[in-house]
Amino acid sequence: MKILVTGGAGFIGSAVVRMALERGDEIINVDKLTYAANLDNLKGWTERSGYAFEQADICDSAAIARIFSEHQPDAVMHLAAESHVDRSIDGPDAFIQTNLVGTFQMLQAARGYFDTLSPERKDRFRFHHVSTDEVYGSLGEDGLFREDTPYAPNSPYSASKAGSDFLARAWSETYALPVVTSNCSNNYGPYQHPEKLIPVVILKALAGDKIPVYGKGENIRDWLFVDDHADALLLILKTAAFGETYNVGGLNERRNIDLVRTICQLMDEIHPRPTPHEDLISFVADRPGHDQRYAIDASKIERELSWKPSVTVEEGMRRTVAWYLDNEWWWQAIRQQGFEGQRLGLASKEQEHDG
Ligand code: NAD
Ligand code: TYD
């Protein structure tokens, strides 16, 4: 299948591109190459036959229309987005542009292109809109996010993704564009930008710097190894019926503080220092509007598409820690471009103190 992937130079998009190429699909990777992109994520893959790259902004309707017309894809996997909650607090503009306006332009271009397809190609065409469980807001102690949980986004990031989900739904209902949507929990694994929690912990621990845990570390996330997400995304693209939505999750709920301690223990084992890495943990000012708990009910995708995560959180964390230790070249290059693990997402300067 010839798949147009947006955001294929990002963390999850590059995992999708690598897996799809490995399985024999063709890829057109459309990426603007923002700060979050890294073509090193595709090192060794870009020379393969069946891979094409187009540097373009998804908000640029003319560029996107040309790419559809020139490459004639069988399907779209739309992952391009601004993805970091803390950055959305500091600067929501780019989130509105890319996540809302960009998704709108992608849907419009896909709709124009879809109209040109033969009936057989129309039957097979899918626009897979890739989204997050954060659209559902925050859970209390009990309950899980299901596909029919009402949307209640709390951050500029999740609000922009929720809006993009509604646009995708509307283009499916109103224009019969064959959309499928998936909402996934927190991903982790190799090639994740060092701004996100897991790489923050690994790289701070490695440097012997303080490990910042927001608030009391009692917020809960449901962690999924990135390759398990990529596998679910390709399965949904190829087997889900038009109009369906699926929640994808790791069945791995952890309090942040427990996860951080697990990573510290792995670091003690793999890269010991004179005192335990846990001594570096520092509780810092909380994120404004910090969602308390995310947890996914993945029973629909398990039941209907026979998908299950294959990597336990213990195994995945071990692989991830080992990967960052073995691939210093990868994250040092990002540091050299100016990101050195600084605190992001404090809406006001007054909050900037250690708790
Ligand atoms: P990422 O930030 O690592 O990568 C995003 C990619 O999109 C980058 O390569 C960037 O250059 C590209 N991009 C951004 N703006 C663009 C634009 N205007 N035009 C073209 N390309 C642009 O993100 P990620 O973590 O890989 O997330 C990918 C998708 O999965 C996003 O839609 C995100 O909302 C969703 N998601 C992420 C997670 C997670 O835990 N990371 C969980 C669930 C869903
Ligand atoms: P993050 O990786 O930013 O993902 P998201 O906010 O999309 O869930 O953060 C995961 C959790 O870790 C979240 O509860 C915020 C917290 N966190 C910290 O405690 N310290 C950090 O340095 C970062 C980046 C996040």
Side-chain angles (χ1 to χ4, degrees):
M1 185 184 255
K2 195 181 213 188
I3 310 168
L4 189 163
V5 175
T6 69
F11 167 51
I12 302 170
S14 65
V16 167
V17 169
R18 293 189 300 269
M19 190 174 282
L21 287 171
E22 183 67 38
R23 292 178 180 178
D25 292 312
E26 289 176 58
I27 294 292
I28 307 121
N29 178 9
V30 179
D31 200 299
K32 180 181 175 181
L33 300 184
T34 69
Y35 84 91
N38 194 338
L39 288 173
D40 283 344
N41 299 1
L42 294 170
K43 212 170 177 180
W45 294 89
T46 54
E47 301 77 19
R48 292 211 175 192
S49 68
Y51 174 84
F53 177 64
E54 292 274 5
Q55 183 170 2
D57 186 335
I58 55 166
C59 299
D60 181 344
S61 57
I64 299 302
R66 175 194 60 78
I67 291 166
F68 268 106
S69 152
E70 241 170 60
H71 292 277
Q72 296 284 313
D74 301 312
V76 175
M77 296 176 85
H78 175 41
L79 291 99
E82 288 291 336
S83 70
H84 191 33
V85 174
D86 288 334
R87 284 185 197 262
S88 80
I89 296 168
D90 292 335
D93 311 42
F95 290 72
I96 302 303
Q97 279 309 314
T98 288
N99 300 359
L100 279 170
V101 178
T103 298
F104 159 70
Q105 296 295 6
M106 283 302 302
L107 289 163
Q108 282 290 74
R111 187 183 149 212
Y113 169 71
F114 181 71
D115 285 345
T116 68
L117 296 179
S118 65
E120 298 75 42
R121 293 196 69 202
K122 276 188 172 150
D123 275 349
R124 289 200 309 268
F125 187 84
R126 288 287 178 276
F127 184 104
H128 183 173
H129 176 64
V130 177
S131 192
T132 168
D133 62 352
E134 302 192 23
V135 298
Y136 299 120
S138 186
L139 288 166
E141 275 178 30
D142 303 319
L144 298 170
F145 295 137
R146 294 160 42 98
E147 286 78 2
D148 56 6
T149 301
Y151 276 31
N154 293 315
S155 72
Y157 164 67
S158 55
S160 66
K161 289 296 293 188
S164 72
D165 293 11
F166 287 147
L167 290 174
R169 178 190 158 93
W171 261 244
S172 164
E173 293 291 325
T174 305
Y175 304 114
L177 184 71
V179 171
V180 289
T181 298
S182 56
N183 296 81
C184 186
S185 61
N186 287 61
N187 284 214
Y188 70 96
Y191 303 105
Q192 187 167 32
H193 192 280
E195 68 192 0
K196 303 275 169 56
L197 176 67
I198 308 300
V200 164
V201 177
I202 299 169
L203 299 184
K204 296 279 185 196
L206 185 62
D209 292 339
K210 283 185 176 180
I211 300 169
V213 173
Y214 298 173
K216 294 182 179 159
E218 284 170 357
N219 305 70
I220 293 172
R221 297 292 183 263
D222 172 7
W223 294 95
L224 180 66
F225 193 65
V226 65
D227 287 350
D228 276 332
H229 187 198
D231 180 52
L233 292 176
L234 286 164
L235 183 67
I236 291 167
L237 179 81
K238 293 183 181 187
T239 58
F242 164 9
E244 285 292 349
T245 62
Y246 288 97
N247 281 357
V248 185
L251 316 174
N252 273 311
E253 279 186 63
R254 292 288 185 282
R255 287 193 315 161
N256 288 344
I257 186 64
D258 297 332
L259 191 70
V260 170
R261 289 203 176 110
T262 301
I263 297 171
C264 286
Q265 284 152 16
L266 284 168
M267 288 294 292
D268 290 344
E269 204 184 297
I270 306 176
H271 198 270
R273 67 194 291 274
T275 53
H277 287 89
E278 268 192 42
D279 293 355
L280 298 169
I281 293 174
S282 163
F283 294 97
V284 299
D286 209 350
R287 168 188 284 172
H290 198 172
D291 286 337
Q292 178 53 36
R293 176 171 166 257
Y294 302 147
I296 285 268
D297 176 349
S299 57
K300 182 179 174 191
I301 186 169
E302 279 186 37
R303 193 177 56 249
E304 293 186 4
L305 306 185
S306 304
W307 177 86
K308 255 191 189 328
S310 67
V311 181
T312 64
V313 80
E314 285 71 24
E315 172 57 21
M317 288 296 161
R318 183 177 289 278
R319 275 159 65 174
T320 305
V321 170
W323 187 87
Y324 279 88
L325 297 185
D326 289 346
N327 289 280
E328 189 171 337
W329 66 274
W330 182 86
W331 49 265
Q332 283 294 8
I334 296 172
R335 294 220 152 159
Q336 277 153 23
Q337 287 157 21
F339 184 76
E340 296 188 4
Q342 56 271 35
R343 176 74 198 261
L344 302 169
L346 286 165
S348 74
K349 280 284 160 196
E350 292 82 71
Q351 290 173 298
E352 212 164 42
H353 61 84
D354 284 359

